[in-house]
Amino acid sequence: DNTPIDEVEYVYKVPVETDDGWETTHCDSVGIDHTLIEDMVNDISHETMPDLNSILIARDGKLVFEEYFNGWPPDSLHMLMSCTKSVTSVLVGIAIDEGYLDGVDTGIYSFFPEYDEYRTPRKDSMLLRHTITMTGGLEWDQSSYEYDDPANSLYQLWACGCNWISYILALDDLYTPGVEWEYSDGMALITGEVLCRAVGMPVTEWAEQKLFTPLGIEHLEWRHTNGSYTNTGYGLYMRSRDMAKFGQMYLDGGQWNGQQVVPQSWVDESTAEAVSLSASVGYGYYWWRIRYRLDDDSYLHTIFAVGNQGQYICIVPSL
C-alpha cells in the first residue's frame, strides 16, 4: 500500500495499480536498480526533509516508484504553483491546432478592445509568442523581491483591488517585445485570458474537455483570480500521480495511452529553447530546458515544469 514512509529502513515496493490509467511494474524490469531507490528513500528519511511530499518515477511508460513523505496522503491535491504555466502552454497548443488561435504570432491587444486606451505602438507589437516566453516587455519584477515585499510586482497585483487583466495591460512598456526576458505571472494571466476569449469558454472548461478528461484526471482544482479569471499562472492543484501523467504525455510526444492529446509538433515547439538564460538553462513556452553536466563531461538534457517551493515535473528523454 502507499502508507507514508516512517523511520524504519525502507524496502522498495511496486506502486499500486489502480484504474487511473497508469500501468505499474518493478523498477528492476525497466533498468532501475531498486537498491538505489531504497538508498535514496533511507537518505531522505534519515536527513529529515520536512517539506518533501512525494516522489514518483516513470520509465518506459510505466510507473515504477511512488512514495509519499511527512504524512502527505496519496490522493491529496498538490499545489502546482508555476507548473500550472506548463499546463497552460499545452492548452494553447491544442487551441492553435483546432484553429481557435492563428498561432503564436497572434497579437495580444486585439483580444482586448475594451482596453484600447492602454495601447501604444510598442504594446501593439506584443504577440502571444512574447507572453508565452516571458518577453512581453511590460514593467514587471517579481524576482528581485520576496513575495511579501510591496516592491514585488506580484504583490502589487494582489494588492491593487482591481481587475487583474486591466492592471497588467495598463503597465508601462519598458522594452520592445521579444528583447528582454522577465519572469512574470502577469504574462501567464494574459495568456490565459487570450485563450479563454479565443475558445469562447473558461479555461477550466477547455482544460476539462481537451486535456483532463483524455488523461483520466478526475480530481483537481483550478483556482481563479479576483476578477473571476482562471489563474493560469499558479492556480492549479492536482494529485502527484496526475502530475506524472502530464510529464509522461509530453515524453510520449503528446500521447496518453495511445490517444493523441496534444500535437507532437506543439510538444516539440513548446519545449524548444526560445530564450537562452545561461549556458545551462533555457526557456520555451512555459517550459524550462536545463542541462546537467555529468562526471564524464557529457550533458544530460532535461525538460522541466517548475513551480515555486519545489514543484517539479522533470522529463529526461535520453533516459
Side-chain angles (χ1 to χ4, degrees):
D1 64 354
N2 284 314
T3 53
I5 302 300
D6 54 29
E7 294 301 322
V8 301
E9 289 298 301
Y10 173 73
V11 176
Y12 171 82
K13 57 181 180 289
V14 177
V16 174
E17 193 160 311
T18 67
D19 60 355
D20 70 347
W22 271 117
E23 181 182 351
T24 68
T25 191
H26 198 289
C27 65
D28 289 349
S29 70
V30 295
I32 299 177
D33 184 349
H34 75 276
T35 63
L36 298 178
I37 296 288
E38 291 175 342
D39 290 345
M40 175 187 71
V41 175
N42 285 321
D43 284 346
I44 290 168
S45 298
H46 297 156
E47 293 175 6
T48 62
M49 300 176 67
D51 296 325
L52 182 64
N53 299 143
S54 64
I55 301 176
L56 290 80
I57 302 173
R59 195 175 198 192
D60 295 345
K62 301 176 179 66
L63 191 65
V64 300
F65 175 71
E66 176 187 25
E67 289 296 352
Y68 299 86
F69 303 86
N70 299 304
W72 187 262
D75 284 332
S76 287
L77 298 179
H78 200 93
M79 188 177 187
L80 268 63
M81 302 298 284
S82 287
C83 291
T84 302
K85 295 180 177 68
S86 303
V87 176
T88 300
S89 172
V90 171
L91 297 174
V92 168
I94 295 171
I96 291 173
D97 180 62
E98 296 195 6
Y100 290 95
L101 286 163
D102 291 336
V104 293
D105 290 325
T106 299
I108 292 298
Y109 276 82
S110 62
F111 282 90
F112 303 101
E114 70 270 38
Y115 301 128
D116 278 349
E117 63 189 286
Y118 303 141
R119 297 176 73 159
T120 67
R122 197 150 56 181
K123 286 182 179 181
D124 278 344
S125 67
M126 186 166 65
L127 308 174
L128 182 60
R129 175 186 304 279
H130 301 134
T131 64
I132 208 168
T133 58
M134 306 290 195
T135 58
L138 299 183
E139 183 177 15
W140 188 276
D141 185 356
Q142 70 179 71
S143 303
S144 301
Y145 310 94
E146 297 295 328
Y147 284 107
D148 59 356
D149 189 322
N152 188 300
S153 292
L154 191 57
Y155 180 100
Q156 294 168 8
L157 181 65
W158 294 332
C160 75
C162 60
N163 180 304
W164 282 14
I165 300 300
S166 172
Y167 179 93
I168 298 164
L169 292 174
L171 293 169
D172 289 341
D173 50 337
L174 291 187
Y175 307 104
T176 299
V179 172
E180 294 288 335
W181 186 88
E182 181 66 49
Y183 194 85
S184 168
D185 276 292
M187 289 290 97
L189 294 168
I190 293 299
T191 298
E193 183 58 14
V194 167
L195 174 63
C196 171
R197 295 185 180 205
V199 301
M201 67 180 73
V203 172
T204 50
E205 292 183 19
W206 179 255
E208 181 178 359
Q209 291 181 21
K210 302 298 181 177
L211 183 60
F212 298 142
T213 296
L215 290 179
I217 297 175
E218 300 176 348
H219 306 292
L220 67 127
E221 179 182 349
W222 203 332
R223 296 188 177 179
H224 294 75
T225 71
N226 65 346
S228 298
Y229 304 105
T230 305
N231 189 336
T232 47
Y234 54 91
L236 186 57
Y237 291 68
M238 294 168 60
R239 298 185 315 154
S240 299
R241 269 192 172 222
D242 293 330
M243 292 173 70
K245 283 184 186 181
F246 187 69
Q248 184 68 52
M249 176 192 70
Y250 247 53
L251 178 63
D252 290 340
Q255 292 191 7
W256 173 252
N257 285 344
Q259 178 182 355
Q260 195 75 39
V261 180
V262 59
Q264 170 81 60
S265 59
W266 183 258
V267 173
D268 296 339
E269 182 178 352
S270 63
T271 59
E273 185 173 292
V275 182
S276 178
L277 302 178
S278 72
S280 59
V281 179
Y283 199 71
Y285 298 168
Y286 299 147
W287 287 95
W288 296 83
R289 298 294 305 246
I290 304 176
R291 295 174 288 279
Y292 292 96
R293 188 170 184 172
L294 305 180
D295 289 341
D296 61 359
D297 286 337
S298 65
Y299 286 87
L300 187 67
H301 295 265
T302 64
I303 301 164
F304 269 94
V306 177
N308 191 31
Q309 299 178 359
Q311 328 312 322
Y312 302 106
I313 302 172
C314 176
I315 304 167
V316 190
S318 65
L319 298 182

PDB file of all heavy atoms in Angstrom, residues 59 251 273 279-282 288-304 314-319:
ATOM      1  N   ARG A  59       9.154   5.089 -16.053  1.00  0.00           N
ATOM      2  CA  ARG A  59      10.095   4.786 -17.126  1.00  0.00           C
ATOM      3  C   ARG A  59       9.449   3.798 -18.086  1.00  0.00           C
ATOM      4  O   ARG A  59       8.713   2.900 -17.662  1.00  0.00           O
ATOM      5  CB  ARG A  59      11.403   4.205 -16.582  1.00  0.00           C
ATOM      6  CG  ARG A  59      12.506   4.228 -17.635  1.00  0.00           C
ATOM      7  CD  ARG A  59      13.842   3.778 -17.102  1.00  0.00           C
ATOM      8  NE  ARG A  59      14.919   4.230 -17.997  1.00  0.00           N
ATOM      9  CZ  ARG A  59      16.170   3.810 -17.928  1.00  0.00           C
ATOM     10  NH1 ARG A  59      16.523   2.931 -16.992  1.00  0.00           N
ATOM     11  NH2 ARG A  59      17.087   4.261 -18.761  1.00  0.00           N
ATOM     12  N   LEU A 251       6.563  13.318 -22.768  1.00  0.00           N
ATOM     13  CA  LEU A 251       7.643  12.419 -23.154  1.00  0.00           C
ATOM     14  C   LEU A 251       7.239  11.572 -24.350  1.00  0.00           C
ATOM     15  O   LEU A 251       8.051  11.293 -25.239  1.00  0.00           O
ATOM     16  CB  LEU A 251       8.023  11.518 -21.975  1.00  0.00           C
ATOM     17  CG  LEU A 251       9.116  10.483 -22.235  1.00  0.00           C
ATOM     18  CD1 LEU A 251      10.441  11.151 -22.580  1.00  0.00           C
ATOM     19  CD2 LEU A 251       9.283   9.579 -21.019  1.00  0.00           C
ATOM     20  N   GLU A 273      14.153  25.601 -26.982  1.00  0.00           N
ATOM     21  CA  GLU A 273      14.693  26.753 -26.272  1.00  0.00           C
ATOM     22  C   GLU A 273      14.409  28.022 -27.064  1.00  0.00           C
ATOM     23  O   GLU A 273      15.073  28.315 -28.057  1.00  0.00           O
ATOM     24  CB  GLU A 273      16.186  26.574 -26.043  1.00  0.00           C
ATOM     25  CG  GLU A 273      16.816  27.671 -25.200  1.00  0.00           C
ATOM     26  CD  GLU A 273      18.263  27.397 -24.850  1.00  0.00           C
ATOM     27  OE1 GLU A 273      18.521  26.446 -24.071  1.00  0.00           O
ATOM     28  OE2 GLU A 273      19.122  28.127 -25.376  1.00  0.00           O
ATOM     29  N   ALA A 279      24.366  29.305 -19.818  1.00  0.00           N
ATOM     30  CA  ALA A 279      24.956  28.195 -20.557  1.00  0.00           C
ATOM     31  C   ALA A 279      24.211  26.888 -20.338  1.00  0.00           C
ATOM     32  O   ALA A 279      24.290  25.974 -21.159  1.00  0.00           O
ATOM     33  CB  ALA A 279      26.421  28.037 -20.157  1.00  0.00           C
ATOM     34  N   SER A 280      23.488  26.789 -19.232  1.00  0.00           N
ATOM     35  CA  SER A 280      22.829  25.518 -18.905  1.00  0.00           C
ATOM     36  C   SER A 280      21.309  25.617 -18.789  1.00  0.00           C
ATOM     37  O   SER A 280      20.655  24.598 -18.593  1.00  0.00           O
ATOM     38  CB  SER A 280      23.389  24.961 -17.591  1.00  0.00           C
ATOM     39  OG  SER A 280      23.184  25.884 -16.539  1.00  0.00           O
ATOM     40  N   VAL A 281      20.753  26.815 -18.912  1.00  0.00           N
ATOM     41  CA  VAL A 281      19.314  26.986 -18.706  1.00  0.00           C
ATOM     42  C   VAL A 281      18.704  27.757 -19.876  1.00  0.00           C
ATOM     43  O   VAL A 281      19.215  28.810 -20.276  1.00  0.00           O
ATOM     44  CB  VAL A 281      19.013  27.737 -17.393  1.00  0.00           C
ATOM     45  CG1 VAL A 281      17.510  27.910 -17.215  1.00  0.00           C
ATOM     46  CG2 VAL A 281      19.603  26.990 -16.200  1.00  0.00           C
ATOM     47  N   GLY A 282      17.622  27.211 -20.393  1.00  0.00           N
ATOM     48  CA  GLY A 282      16.858  27.883 -21.437  1.00  0.00           C
ATOM     49  C   GLY A 282      15.381  27.845 -21.116  1.00  0.00           C
ATOM     50  O   GLY A 282      14.939  27.116 -20.230  1.00  0.00           O
ATOM     51  N   TRP A 288      10.937  24.821 -19.066  1.00  0.00           N
ATOM     52  CA  TRP A 288      12.357  25.072 -18.857  1.00  0.00           C
ATOM     53  C   TRP A 288      13.174  23.975 -19.529  1.00  0.00           C
ATOM     54  O   TRP A 288      12.782  22.799 -19.528  1.00  0.00           O
ATOM     55  CB  TRP A 288      12.695  25.092 -17.367  1.00  0.00           C
ATOM     56  CG  TRP A 288      12.040  26.201 -16.600  1.00  0.00           C
ATOM     57  CD1 TRP A 288      10.771  26.212 -16.089  1.00  0.00           C
ATOM     58  CD2 TRP A 288      12.620  27.465 -16.255  1.00  0.00           C
ATOM     59  NE1 TRP A 288      10.527  27.408 -15.442  1.00  0.00           N
ATOM     60  CE2 TRP A 288      11.646  28.200 -15.527  1.00  0.00           C
ATOM     61  CE3 TRP A 288      13.868  28.049 -16.486  1.00  0.00           C
ATOM     62  CZ2 TRP A 288      11.883  29.480 -15.030  1.00  0.00           C
ATOM     63  CZ3 TRP A 288      14.112  29.325 -15.992  1.00  0.00           C
ATOM     64  CH2 TRP A 288      13.129  30.025 -15.280  1.00  0.00           C
ATOM     65  N   ARG A 289      14.332  24.362 -20.075  1.00  0.00           N
ATOM     66  CA  ARG A 289      15.323  23.419 -20.577  1.00  0.00           C
ATOM     67  C   ARG A 289      16.560  23.547 -19.685  1.00  0.00           C
ATOM     68  O   ARG A 289      17.133  24.631 -19.579  1.00  0.00           O
ATOM     69  CB  ARG A 289      15.708  23.733 -22.029  1.00  0.00           C
ATOM     70  CG  ARG A 289      14.566  23.629 -23.029  1.00  0.00           C
ATOM     71  CD  ARG A 289      14.069  22.205 -23.156  1.00  0.00           C
ATOM     72  NE  ARG A 289      15.119  21.276 -23.494  1.00  0.00           N
ATOM     73  CZ  ARG A 289      15.169  20.612 -24.661  1.00  0.00           C
ATOM     74  NH1 ARG A 289      14.235  20.799 -25.568  1.00  0.00           N
ATOM     75  NH2 ARG A 289      16.146  19.766 -24.898  1.00  0.00           N
ATOM     76  N   ILE A 290      16.951  22.461 -19.022  1.00  0.00           N
ATOM     77  CA  ILE A 290      18.087  22.503 -18.102  1.00  0.00           C
ATOM     78  C   ILE A 290      19.082  21.405 -18.488  1.00  0.00           C
ATOM     79  O   ILE A 290      18.697  20.242 -18.667  1.00  0.00           O
ATOM     80  CB  ILE A 290      17.631  22.327 -16.639  1.00  0.00           C
ATOM     81  CG1 ILE A 290      16.587  23.408 -16.286  1.00  0.00           C
ATOM     82  CG2 ILE A 290      18.827  22.403 -15.687  1.00  0.00           C
ATOM     83  CD1 ILE A 290      16.002  23.287 -14.898  1.00  0.00           C
ATOM     84  N   ARG A 291      20.339  21.789 -18.614  1.00  0.00           N
ATOM     85  CA  ARG A 291      21.404  20.849 -18.975  1.00  0.00           C
ATOM     86  C   ARG A 291      22.286  20.601 -17.752  1.00  0.00           C
ATOM     87  O   ARG A 291      22.801  21.546 -17.149  1.00  0.00           O
ATOM     88  CB  ARG A 291      22.241  21.415 -20.126  1.00  0.00           C
ATOM     89  CG  ARG A 291      21.462  21.566 -21.414  1.00  0.00           C
ATOM     90  CD  ARG A 291      22.274  22.261 -22.504  1.00  0.00           C
ATOM     91  NE  ARG A 291      22.447  23.684 -22.226  1.00  0.00           N
ATOM     92  CZ  ARG A 291      21.526  24.621 -22.490  1.00  0.00           C
ATOM     93  NH1 ARG A 291      20.363  24.271 -23.016  1.00  0.00           N
ATOM     94  NH2 ARG A 291      21.763  25.893 -22.224  1.00  0.00           N
ATOM     95  N   TYR A 292      22.437  19.321 -17.398  1.00  0.00           N
ATOM     96  CA  TYR A 292      23.263  18.941 -16.257  1.00  0.00           C
ATOM     97  C   TYR A 292      24.571  18.322 -16.755  1.00  0.00           C
ATOM     98  O   TYR A 292      24.558  17.389 -17.567  1.00  0.00           O
ATOM     99  CB  TYR A 292      22.532  17.933 -15.369  1.00  0.00           C
ATOM    100  CG  TYR A 292      21.331  18.512 -14.665  1.00  0.00           C
ATOM    101  CD1 TYR A 292      20.050  18.362 -15.186  1.00  0.00           C
ATOM    102  CD2 TYR A 292      21.469  19.228 -13.478  1.00  0.00           C
ATOM    103  CE1 TYR A 292      18.942  18.902 -14.539  1.00  0.00           C
ATOM    104  CE2 TYR A 292      20.376  19.765 -12.830  1.00  0.00           C
ATOM    105  CZ  TYR A 292      19.119  19.601 -13.364  1.00  0.00           C
ATOM    106  OH  TYR A 292      18.032  20.137 -12.725  1.00  0.00           O
ATOM    107  N   ARG A 293      25.682  18.848 -16.260  1.00  0.00           N
ATOM    108  CA  ARG A 293      26.977  18.289 -16.630  1.00  0.00           C
ATOM    109  C   ARG A 293      27.261  17.067 -15.769  1.00  0.00           C
ATOM    110  O   ARG A 293      27.200  17.135 -14.531  1.00  0.00           O
ATOM    111  CB  ARG A 293      28.075  19.339 -16.451  1.00  0.00           C
ATOM    112  CG  ARG A 293      29.426  18.908 -16.996  1.00  0.00           C
ATOM    113  CD  ARG A 293      30.405  20.065 -17.002  1.00  0.00           C
ATOM    114  NE  ARG A 293      31.674  19.688 -17.612  1.00  0.00           N
ATOM    115  CZ  ARG A 293      32.639  20.557 -17.886  1.00  0.00           C
ATOM    116  NH1 ARG A 293      32.468  21.844 -17.591  1.00  0.00           N
ATOM    117  NH2 ARG A 293      33.760  20.142 -18.433  1.00  0.00           N
ATOM    118  N   LEU A 294      27.590  15.956 -16.400  1.00  0.00           N
ATOM    119  CA  LEU A 294      27.834  14.701 -15.700  1.00  0.00           C
ATOM    120  C   LEU A 294      29.332  14.516 -15.450  1.00  0.00           C
ATOM    121  O   LEU A 294      30.171  15.270 -15.954  1.00  0.00           O
ATOM    122  CB  LEU A 294      27.270  13.539 -16.516  1.00  0.00           C
ATOM    123  CG  LEU A 294      25.785  13.662 -16.887  1.00  0.00           C
ATOM    124  CD1 LEU A 294      25.330  12.449 -17.692  1.00  0.00           C
ATOM    125  CD2 LEU A 294      24.932  13.824 -15.633  1.00  0.00           C
ATOM    126  N   ASP A 295      29.650  13.496 -14.688  1.00  0.00           N
ATOM    127  CA  ASP A 295      31.042  13.271 -14.285  1.00  0.00           C
ATOM    128  C   ASP A 295      31.969  13.022 -15.474  1.00  0.00           C
ATOM    129  O   ASP A 295      33.166  13.310 -15.405  1.00  0.00           O
ATOM    130  CB  ASP A 295      31.132  12.094 -13.318  1.00  0.00           C
ATOM    131  CG  ASP A 295      30.538  12.422 -11.957  1.00  0.00           C
ATOM    132  OD1 ASP A 295      30.402  13.621 -11.652  1.00  0.00           O
ATOM    133  OD2 ASP A 295      30.204  11.485 -11.209  1.00  0.00           O
ATOM    134  N   ASP A 296      31.429  12.467 -16.559  1.00  0.00           N
ATOM    135  CA  ASP A 296      32.275  12.192 -17.727  1.00  0.00           C
ATOM    136  C   ASP A 296      32.306  13.368 -18.702  1.00  0.00           C
ATOM    137  O   ASP A 296      32.731  13.226 -19.848  1.00  0.00           O
ATOM    138  CB  ASP A 296      31.794  10.931 -18.451  1.00  0.00           C
ATOM    139  CG  ASP A 296      30.363  11.073 -18.974  1.00  0.00           C
ATOM    140  OD1 ASP A 296      29.748  12.148 -18.762  1.00  0.00           O
ATOM    141  OD2 ASP A 296      29.869  10.116 -19.590  1.00  0.00           O
ATOM    142  N   ASP A 297      31.828  14.547 -18.220  1.00  0.00           N
ATOM    143  CA  ASP A 297      31.812  15.785 -19.005  1.00  0.00           C
ATOM    144  C   ASP A 297      30.780  15.774 -20.134  1.00  0.00           C
ATOM    145  O   ASP A 297      30.782  16.669 -20.982  1.00  0.00           O
ATOM    146  CB  ASP A 297      33.200  16.121 -19.582  1.00  0.00           C
ATOM    147  CG  ASP A 297      34.149  16.632 -18.503  1.00  0.00           C
ATOM    148  OD1 ASP A 297      33.655  17.129 -17.465  1.00  0.00           O
ATOM    149  OD2 ASP A 297      35.370  16.540 -18.700  1.00  0.00           O
ATOM    150  N   SER A 298      29.927  14.751 -20.154  1.00  0.00           N
ATOM    151  CA  SER A 298      28.790  14.802 -21.071  1.00  0.00           C
ATOM    152  C   SER A 298      27.659  15.573 -20.393  1.00  0.00           C
ATOM    153  O   SER A 298      27.763  15.968 -19.227  1.00  0.00           O
ATOM    154  CB  SER A 298      28.333  13.393 -21.434  1.00  0.00           C
ATOM    155  OG  SER A 298      27.828  12.721 -20.276  1.00  0.00           O
ATOM    156  N   TYR A 299      26.570  15.806 -21.124  1.00  0.00           N
ATOM    157  CA  TYR A 299      25.469  16.593 -20.589  1.00  0.00           C
ATOM    158  C   TYR A 299      24.173  15.808 -20.645  1.00  0.00           C
ATOM    159  O   TYR A 299      23.900  15.094 -21.621  1.00  0.00           O
ATOM    160  CB  TYR A 299      25.313  17.905 -21.370  1.00  0.00           C
ATOM    161  CG  TYR A 299      26.387  18.916 -21.057  1.00  0.00           C
ATOM    162  CD1 TYR A 299      27.593  18.895 -21.748  1.00  0.00           C
ATOM    163  CD2 TYR A 299      26.213  19.866 -20.058  1.00  0.00           C
ATOM    164  CE1 TYR A 299      28.597  19.815 -21.454  1.00  0.00           C
ATOM    165  CE2 TYR A 299      27.205  20.791 -19.755  1.00  0.00           C
ATOM    166  CZ  TYR A 299      28.396  20.749 -20.459  1.00  0.00           C
ATOM    167  OH  TYR A 299      29.375  21.660 -20.162  1.00  0.00           O
ATOM    168  N   LEU A 300      23.380  15.949 -19.600  1.00  0.00           N
ATOM    169  CA  LEU A 300      22.052  15.362 -19.551  1.00  0.00           C
ATOM    170  C   LEU A 300      21.044  16.473 -19.826  1.00  0.00           C
ATOM    171  O   LEU A 300      20.970  17.465 -19.091  1.00  0.00           O
ATOM    172  CB  LEU A 300      21.795  14.747 -18.163  1.00  0.00           C
ATOM    173  CG  LEU A 300      20.511  13.946 -18.002  1.00  0.00           C
ATOM    174  CD1 LEU A 300      20.570  12.672 -18.847  1.00  0.00           C
ATOM    175  CD2 LEU A 300      20.294  13.585 -16.536  1.00  0.00           C
ATOM    176  N   HIS A 301      20.282  16.332 -20.891  1.00  0.00           N
ATOM    177  CA  HIS A 301      19.315  17.355 -21.290  1.00  0.00           C
ATOM    178  C   HIS A 301      17.939  17.010 -20.727  1.00  0.00           C
ATOM    179  O   HIS A 301      17.450  15.892 -20.920  1.00  0.00           O
ATOM    180  CB  HIS A 301      19.256  17.454 -22.816  1.00  0.00           C
ATOM    181  CG  HIS A 301      20.544  17.929 -23.420  1.00  0.00           C
ATOM    182  ND1 HIS A 301      20.778  19.254 -23.723  1.00  0.00           N
ATOM    183  CD2 HIS A 301      21.675  17.256 -23.766  1.00  0.00           C
ATOM    184  CE1 HIS A 301      21.992  19.383 -24.235  1.00  0.00           C
ATOM    185  NE2 HIS A 301      22.564  18.184 -24.266  1.00  0.00           N
ATOM    186  N   THR A 302      17.352  17.956 -20.035  1.00  0.00           N
ATOM    187  CA  THR A 302      16.070  17.716 -19.380  1.00  0.00           C
ATOM    188  C   THR A 302      15.073  18.809 -19.742  1.00  0.00           C
ATOM    189  O   THR A 302      15.447  19.911 -20.141  1.00  0.00           O
ATOM    190  CB  THR A 302      16.220  17.683 -17.849  1.00  0.00           C
ATOM    191  OG1 THR A 302      16.638  18.979 -17.397  1.00  0.00           O
ATOM    192  CG2 THR A 302      17.231  16.645 -17.413  1.00  0.00           C
ATOM    193  N   ILE A 303      13.813  18.480 -19.588  1.00  0.00           N
ATOM    194  CA  ILE A 303      12.708  19.408 -19.789  1.00  0.00           C
ATOM    195  C   ILE A 303      11.945  19.466 -18.471  1.00  0.00           C
ATOM    196  O   ILE A 303      11.606  18.421 -17.903  1.00  0.00           O
ATOM    197  CB  ILE A 303      11.775  18.921 -20.920  1.00  0.00           C
ATOM    198  CG1 ILE A 303      12.558  18.779 -22.229  1.00  0.00           C
ATOM    199  CG2 ILE A 303      10.582  19.862 -21.093  1.00  0.00           C
ATOM    200  CD1 ILE A 303      11.827  17.961 -23.279  1.00  0.00           C
ATOM    201  N   PHE A 304      11.669  20.670 -17.987  1.00  0.00           N
ATOM    202  CA  PHE A 304      11.065  20.831 -16.675  1.00  0.00           C
ATOM    203  C   PHE A 304       9.829  21.722 -16.704  1.00  0.00           C
ATOM    204  O   PHE A 304       9.825  22.769 -17.355  1.00  0.00           O
ATOM    205  CB  PHE A 304      12.058  21.507 -15.711  1.00  0.00           C
ATOM    206  CG  PHE A 304      12.924  20.581 -14.913  1.00  0.00           C
ATOM    207  CD1 PHE A 304      14.182  20.238 -15.348  1.00  0.00           C
ATOM    208  CD2 PHE A 304      12.479  20.069 -13.705  1.00  0.00           C
ATOM    209  CE1 PHE A 304      15.003  19.406 -14.608  1.00  0.00           C
ATOM    210  CE2 PHE A 304      13.292  19.239 -12.944  1.00  0.00           C
ATOM    211  CZ  PHE A 304      14.557  18.905 -13.398  1.00  0.00           C
ATOM    212  N   CYS A 314       9.800  16.589 -14.175  1.00  0.00           N
ATOM    213  CA  CYS A 314      11.056  16.503 -14.909  1.00  0.00           C
ATOM    214  C   CYS A 314      10.975  15.399 -15.959  1.00  0.00           C
ATOM    215  O   CYS A 314      10.625  14.260 -15.638  1.00  0.00           O
ATOM    216  CB  CYS A 314      12.209  16.209 -13.948  1.00  0.00           C
ATOM    217  SG  CYS A 314      13.792  15.972 -14.762  1.00  0.00           S
ATOM    218  N   ILE A 315      11.293  15.762 -17.203  1.00  0.00           N
ATOM    219  CA  ILE A 315      11.284  14.818 -18.312  1.00  0.00           C
ATOM    220  C   ILE A 315      12.713  14.671 -18.798  1.00  0.00           C
ATOM    221  O   ILE A 315      13.380  15.646 -19.117  1.00  0.00           O
ATOM    222  CB  ILE A 315      10.385  15.336 -19.451  1.00  0.00           C
ATOM    223  CG1 ILE A 315       8.968  15.623 -18.929  1.00  0.00           C
ATOM    224  CG2 ILE A 315      10.347  14.350 -20.604  1.00  0.00           C
ATOM    225  CD1 ILE A 315       8.121  16.430 -19.902  1.00  0.00           C
ATOM    226  N   VAL A 316      13.177  13.417 -18.877  1.00  0.00           N
ATOM    227  CA  VAL A 316      14.554  13.147 -19.339  1.00  0.00           C
ATOM    228  C   VAL A 316      14.457  12.226 -20.543  1.00  0.00           C
ATOM    229  O   VAL A 316      14.462  10.999 -20.416  1.00  0.00           O
ATOM    230  CB  VAL A 316      15.400  12.502 -18.224  1.00  0.00           C
ATOM    231  CG1 VAL A 316      16.874  12.468 -18.647  1.00  0.00           C
ATOM    232  CG2 VAL A 316      15.246  13.249 -16.908  1.00  0.00           C
ATOM    233  N   PRO A 317      14.367  12.791 -21.759  1.00  0.00           N
ATOM    234  CA  PRO A 317      14.137  11.964 -22.947  1.00  0.00           C
ATOM    235  C   PRO A 317      15.192  10.889 -23.171  1.00  0.00           C
ATOM    236  O   PRO A 317      14.864   9.758 -23.558  1.00  0.00           O
ATOM    237  CB  PRO A 317      14.140  12.994 -24.084  1.00  0.00           C
ATOM    238  CG  PRO A 317      13.696  14.265 -23.443  1.00  0.00           C
ATOM    239  CD  PRO A 317      14.313  14.236 -22.075  1.00  0.00           C
ATOM    240  N   SER A 318      16.464  11.178 -22.904  1.00  0.00           N
ATOM    241  CA  SER A 318      17.522  10.211 -23.174  1.00  0.00           C
ATOM    242  C   SER A 318      17.466   8.999 -22.253  1.00  0.00           C
ATOM    243  O   SER A 318      18.042   7.952 -22.558  1.00  0.00           O
ATOM    244  CB  SER A 318      18.902  10.879 -23.060  1.00  0.00           C
ATOM    245  OG  SER A 318      19.144  11.311 -21.730  1.00  0.00           O
ATOM    246  N   LEU A 319      16.749   9.134 -21.128  1.00  0.00           N
ATOM    247  CA  LEU A 319      16.619   8.014 -20.192  1.00  0.00           C
ATOM    248  C   LEU A 319      15.247   7.351 -20.257  1.00  0.00           C
ATOM    249  O   LEU A 319      14.911   6.588 -19.365  1.00  0.00           O
ATOM    250  CB  LEU A 319      16.903   8.498 -18.755  1.00  0.00           C
ATOM    251  CG  LEU A 319      18.305   9.047 -18.502  1.00  0.00           C
ATOM    252  CD1 LEU A 319      18.461   9.449 -17.043  1.00  0.00           C
ATOM    253  CD2 LEU A 319      19.362   8.019 -18.878  1.00  0.00           C
TER     254      LEU A 319
END
